[in-house]
Amino acid sequence: NAEYMGGAGPATKTVFTDALGHTPLLVLVNPKAGGRQGERLIPLFKQLLNPAQVFDLSAGGPAPGLTAFRNVGAYSIVCAGGDGTVGWVLQVLDKLRPIASPAVAVIPLGTGNDLARTLGWGGGYEGERMAGILEALSSSNYMRMDRWRVTVEPSEQPPPATEAPPEPQDPTTTKVLNNYFSIGLDAKLALKFHEAREAAPLRFNSRLYNKYYYGRVGAQQLMCGCGERPLSDTLVMTIDGESVALGGVQGLMVLNVPSYAAGCDLWGAPSPPWQPTALDDGLLEVVGIKGITHLSRVTSKKRFVGTPVRLGQGRRIEFAWLASAEPLQSPMQVDGEPWKQTVSRITIEWVNRVVMLAHPTKALATAAVLPPPERVAVLPPAAEPAALDESASASQVTYSEESYSDLAPEGGASSSARAPAPNRV
């Protein structure tokens, strides 16, 4: 139901309220995504749906649409954009704290689209019939997905040897991880690609060209003789408090979904004591790559060509820089968004869960399938779903941002059928 406020004209606002027996749909479109593919989808969505349900993210971001739906008890979101767009929407949802946790589907308009691949919505929208996609949404599966906080603490700058003012120190950086985190060689390549795209955005106007240029960056790294140092010369890694030997790896990837670099399943199907990747198990997977040649083999999507080094699974991942390491700026990335800064410690820990919509037949993700929207409560991985009051509304079992640290999983059964062992390092 839509309530119109403020009279006619440009100032008119639409606020949606509960419609008994229906799950309203909110469509958020990034018009710049996919070589401005999103720009062409906005009028199409407005033809198929009520135009009041469709919001252009270039006009104020996700907040206007999410605020319009603030009185809706249970609704779904279609996010048309790349992985970065989905992360943006989820972070605004964290801040707005709706009365219920809406389920989110993805129409992939980015380059890698790893989250969309995981959920079965494909590696990129290629002009498929939008009415058919909306029909698939009506029968999609509800799955919970873990999200993680990445905290990057800067290294302390040594006092200047002269009277010149000291260099400004990098701030502590906090980001939310939905797909993956990486540091080292792979993040360095991602940063080079990002800097080139920022310098000439008009050139990067298609998914095909973006993939070509990324491959070109990797080829240049291969031709220059690499020269990367093993990460063990710089840092130590612990998983759930246990130190893990890194060997000669030059890059580290921390995975939350079974798709990396446009569809590579780096963790694969492991044997015990390792567990398969699951979106809702409260665990991260950590793998390493030994160099640019190894990386090219690993990302070929053919496991007989090359596989990464499995290093461990856990609920808390820490990287601590050695005191003897030179305080250089280290490249890193979260969900394909790279940057670099000086680092003394990186901590990755559980934050919350969101509900995602997975394709009914094509999803790669493994997770417990939820019942219909009334059960979209956010649960900590350490909690047993049976312990909750089944009559509670979603608003009664969601958690505030202040309580996130208290809900970080420390043990016990997850909401999926698998019960992880205490240590898998």
Side-chain angles (χ1 to χ4, degrees):
N1 296 332
E3 177 185 352
Y4 297 93
M5 306 172 61
T12 298
K13 296 181 180 179
T14 305
V15 178
F16 289 83
T17 56
D18 273 325
L20 189 62
H22 298 275
T23 303
L25 188 65
L26 168 63
V27 180
L28 304 175
V29 184
N30 183 349
K32 298 180 181 179
R36 306 199 74 86
Q37 235 181 346
E39 197 172 59
R40 298 189 292 273
L41 287 181
I42 292 174
L44 178 58
F45 276 121
K46 288 184 175 181
Q47 288 175 7
L48 294 170
L49 303 169
N50 185 328
Q53 296 172 252
V54 183
F55 288 81
D56 181 342
L57 291 178
S58 66
L66 297 174
T67 302
F69 274 62
R70 66 181 179 270
N71 293 326
V72 178
Y75 67 97
S76 298
I77 296 174
V78 173
C79 185
D83 290 341
T85 303
V86 179
W88 183 21
V89 171
L90 292 177
Q91 288 192 58
V92 174
L93 270 173
D94 286 341
K95 295 177 181 177
L96 293 179
R97 300 177 186 171
I99 63 172
S101 301
V104 181
V106 186
I107 293 179
L109 303 183
T111 300
N113 299 308
D114 288 295
L115 184 55
R117 293 172 190 270
T118 297
L119 298 171
W121 300 113
Y125 176 72
E126 300 291 350
E128 296 90 343
R129 192 171 67 94
M130 188 57 65
I133 295 175
L134 294 176
E135 289 169 7
L137 281 170
S138 67
S139 58
S140 55
N141 292 325
Y142 291 77
M143 293 183 176
R144 294 189 184 99
M145 182 180 75
D146 294 316
R147 299 172 74 224
W148 306 82
R149 180 189 293 115
V150 180
T151 305
V152 183
E153 301 174 28
S155 58
E156 295 184 3
Q157 300 291 341
T162 66
E163 295 183 0
E167 292 288 330
Q169 184 167 328
D170 288 325
T172 296
T173 301
T174 303
K175 294 182 179 289
V176 176
L177 181 160
N178 299 310
N179 300 352
Y180 47 73
F181 167 86
S182 75
I183 190 165
L185 179 58
D186 177 66
K188 178 180 178 179
L189 300 181
L191 182 61
K192 287 184 176 180
F193 170 81
H194 175 74
E195 290 173 342
R197 183 168 59 179
E198 289 294 300
L202 295 180
R203 291 173 54 191
F204 295 82
N205 59 1
S206 75
R207 191 178 299 114
L208 182 62
Y209 182 81
N210 291 351
K211 291 181 177 180
Y212 152 74
Y213 195 89
Y214 203 101
R216 176 180 162 185
V217 169
Q220 289 173 342
Q221 180 74 13
L222 180 63
M223 296 299 292
C224 76
C226 304
E228 299 293 317
R229 295 172 57 190
L231 288 176
S232 57
D233 292 351
T234 306
L235 57 86
V236 294
M237 179 177 73
T238 60
I239 300 179
D240 293 340
E242 296 186 20
S243 180
V244 179
L246 297 179
V249 301
Q250 297 179 5
L252 288 167
M253 293 84 156
V254 180
L255 311 171
N256 189 45
V257 298
S259 180
Y260 185 89
C264 303
D265 183 3
L266 298 186
W267 188 250
S271 301
W274 310 118
Q275 297 185 50
T277 301
L279 291 183
D280 63 344
D281 60 359
L283 296 174
L284 291 166
E285 289 70 46
V286 185
V287 300
I289 50 103
K290 298 178 180 178
I292 187 66
T293 303
H294 187 206
L295 177 62
S296 64
R297 290 174 178 171
V298 164
T299 54
S300 68
K301 303 181 185 179
K302 305 290 185 182
R303 296 196 69 82
F304 64 85
V305 176
T307 58
V309 181
R310 288 195 186 106
L311 295 171
Q313 285 178 296
R315 295 184 169 92
R316 182 182 174 91
I317 317 295
E318 289 189 82
F319 304 100
W321 266 245
L322 300 172
S324 58
E326 188 177 354
L328 299 175
Q329 289 197 321
S330 301
M332 61 198 79
Q333 66 162 329
V334 172
D335 295 349
E337 302 294 330
W339 79 101
K340 62 181 179 180
Q341 70 174 82
T342 59
V343 188
S344 65
R345 181 179 298 274
I346 298 175
T347 305
I348 305 176
E349 54 193 347
W350 188 86
V351 169
N352 65 357
R353 279 185 177 146
V354 291
V355 180
M356 306 300 293
L357 288 173
H359 192 282
T361 60
K362 299 179 182 179
L364 303 177
T366 301
V369 175
L370 301 174
E374 60 266 23
R375 288 158 303 161
V376 294
V378 180
L379 304 178
E384 284 282 357
L388 291 173
D389 180 3
E390 291 295 331
S391 64
S393 69
S395 60
Q396 291 174 303
V397 288
T398 54
Y399 297 95
S400 66
E401 189 175 5
E402 287 80 9
S403 65
Y404 284 165
S405 59
D406 298 328
L407 295 172
E410 296 295 341
S414 74
S415 65
S416 66
R418 294 169 300 281
N423 293 296
R424 287 150 305 280
V425 176

